[in-house]
Amino acid sequence: MKATAKARANIALVKYWGKLNTDLNIPAVGSISITLDKLWTETEVEFGKSISADTFFLNNEARKDQLDRVISCLDILRSLAKVSYAARVVSHNNFPTGAGLASSASGFAALTMAAARSLGLDFPPKKLSIIARQGSGSAARSIFGGFVEMHVGSKGDGSDSFAEPILSSDDWPLDVVVAITERKEKEVSSRIGMAKSELTSPYYGEWVKTSPIDLNSVREAIQAQDFEQLAEVAELNCLKMHAVAIASQPPLVYWNSATVACIHAVRELRRSGIPVFFTIDAGPQIKAVCTPGVSKNVEKVLRDIPGVLDTLVTGLGPGVEEI
Ligand code: 2P0
């Protein structure tokens, strides 16, 4: 009873920050993301009578600090399959973990698919998305490829809080230049950060209230393939999320000086007519979204900024797959 799945990271153009229900991990706001082809997690799950306890290895290291979250996800699938076997979970990320590059998104999407398949469960993507959400909210989006929207839903049990694709990457191919400005894992996880913002940020209420406006505008921009509208609203939504985080107590400043320099560089490029915009998650890395024809140029500009350690360029990728 063994299966392996590969899922890709995603970055949100309209961000998820805050929860409606922590037990079921229902987000307080919807979100829209793009799935990234070259940043992925591969996870093998083996259930068996001979396995005495759940274990989790990430990049060849036992990660006891993450084991509870992995077990919660395994428990949901065990209960659906009506079995009680323990599992061995072995996972690899091909990019830095826990540094604002959405490793929990690809990680829990791959875990959900691999665990379901190894238990012989052949669930449709919507159901996988609902299960992955309970592991990590952003993982619900990594079940799908291309442009993806995550819904808050209105049922209290979370059964309509799932993601779905809104446009395929073939319909609108975009590139993302990722500028790495720090390799170590962040000190405050998204989960803890957003809980602090909910409790202490004076802007949290406005964030939740105005999120549907950004969602409508970004969905419209994607459907119309209107890069300029997408750029304006995605940058605004990103800066709003960081304003909420920065005004939390204690303050959550995820940026470093290279992050800020990259923001200015990307805005300058766009002013000069290059179709590019930035987004930043709960970490110091910059993601510059652009049309494929300009990605080499954007990468060259970002690579030369002091404090940028590395860059990579990726297109948009597919959803989770069993391998
Ligand atoms: C996003 N982030 O929409 C936002 C932007 C981080 C900043 O989704 O608590 O790791 O596991 O549901 O999914 C990161 O949040 O949080 C995230 P949990 P998750 O991409």
Side-chain angles (χ1 to χ4, degrees):
M1 297 168 78
K2 200 181 326 191
T4 304
K6 177 174 179 173
R8 290 160 177 84
N10 70 73
I11 53 166
L13 306 181
V14 179
K15 310 280 185 196
Y16 151 47
W17 195 252
K19 296 181 202 284
L20 208 56
N21 178 321
T22 44
D23 293 334
L24 293 168
N25 208 34
I26 300 175
V29 291
S31 51
I32 293 179
S33 62
I34 45 182
T35 303
L36 305 182
D37 194 37
K38 286 196 193 152
L39 277 66
W40 44 257
T41 303
E42 254 182 39
T43 299
E44 180 190 272
V45 178
E46 182 176 11
F47 285 96
K49 276 187 190 144
S50 59
I51 300 170
S52 58
D54 292 327
T55 53
F56 173 53
F57 285 82
L58 176 60
N59 295 341
N60 302 317
E61 239 181 84
R63 290 293 300 254
K64 292 217 164 92
D65 58 320
Q66 300 284 330
L67 189 58
D68 285 350
R69 282 180 77 178
V70 169
I71 290 175
S72 306
C73 191
L74 295 173
D75 280 345
I76 295 171
L77 288 152
R78 276 190 282 249
S79 126
L80 291 165
K82 301 187 174 58
V83 298
S84 57
Y85 306 127
R88 191 177 295 131
V89 179
V90 179
S91 210
H92 288 276
N93 288 341
N94 78 332
F95 61 97
T97 300
L101 286 175
S103 54
S104 70
S106 53
F108 279 96
L111 174 67
T112 299
M113 167 70 117
R117 295 304 303 135
S118 62
L119 289 168
L121 300 167
D122 193 11
F123 289 149
K126 176 176 152 184
K127 180 139 186 164
L128 291 175
S129 180
I130 289 170
I131 298 167
R133 182 203 79 227
Q134 293 169 76
S136 193
S138 52
R141 302 187 307 236
S142 275
I143 297 296
F144 302 98
F147 297 80
V148 179
E149 178 160 7
M150 172 74 195
H151 304 287
V152 171
S154 57
K155 296 183 183 159
D157 63 359
S159 59
D160 60 351
S161 180
F162 55 83
E164 62 183 348
I166 50 178
L167 191 73
S168 86
S169 49
D170 291 342
D171 287 332
W172 197 15
L174 291 177
D175 272 357
V176 179
V177 180
V178 181
I180 311 277
T181 65
E182 176 71 72
R183 285 206 180 81
K184 64 176 197 284
E185 291 196 31
K186 61 196 169 206
E187 282 155 26
V188 182
S189 71
S190 299
R191 183 158 291 198
I192 291 172
M194 62 178 90
K196 287 220 185 310
S197 292
E198 280 167 47
L199 290 174
T200 65
S201 179
Y203 307 135
Y204 182 74
E206 283 302 307
W207 160 254
V208 174
K209 213 161 81 189
T210 60
S211 165
I213 302 169
D214 297 349
L215 282 167
N216 287 338
S217 185
V218 162
R219 192 187 312 110
E220 229 179 67
I222 290 169
Q223 277 154 357
Q225 298 178 26
D226 181 338
F227 191 90
E228 192 53 34
Q229 183 172 329
L230 182 63
E232 292 297 325
V233 185
E235 284 189 357
L236 170 70
N237 181 269
C238 165
L239 293 173
K240 275 162 68 177
M241 187 204 95
H242 284 276
V244 171
I246 288 167
S248 304
Q249 281 298 325
L252 294 163
V253 184
Y254 285 111
W255 304 345
N256 59 32
S257 54
T259 319
V260 177
C262 288
I263 292 175
H264 289 298
V266 168
R267 287 169 66 87
E268 189 52 46
L269 282 170
R270 192 154 84 262
R271 267 196 294 271
S272 75
I274 293 180
V276 59
F277 65 89
F278 69 82
T279 190
I280 309 158
D281 293 300
Q285 329 299 3
I286 280 265
K287 291 99 175 192
V289 183
C290 57
T291 55
V294 302
S295 51
K296 281 263 173 311
N297 186 0
V298 171
E299 185 186 28
K300 193 172 170 310
V301 168
L302 294 183
R303 202 191 303 141
D304 288 344
I305 291 176
V308 171
L309 308 174
D310 202 1
T311 53
L312 68 95
V313 183
T314 174
L316 307 190
V320 67
E321 54 204 359
E322 189 179 359
I323 52 173

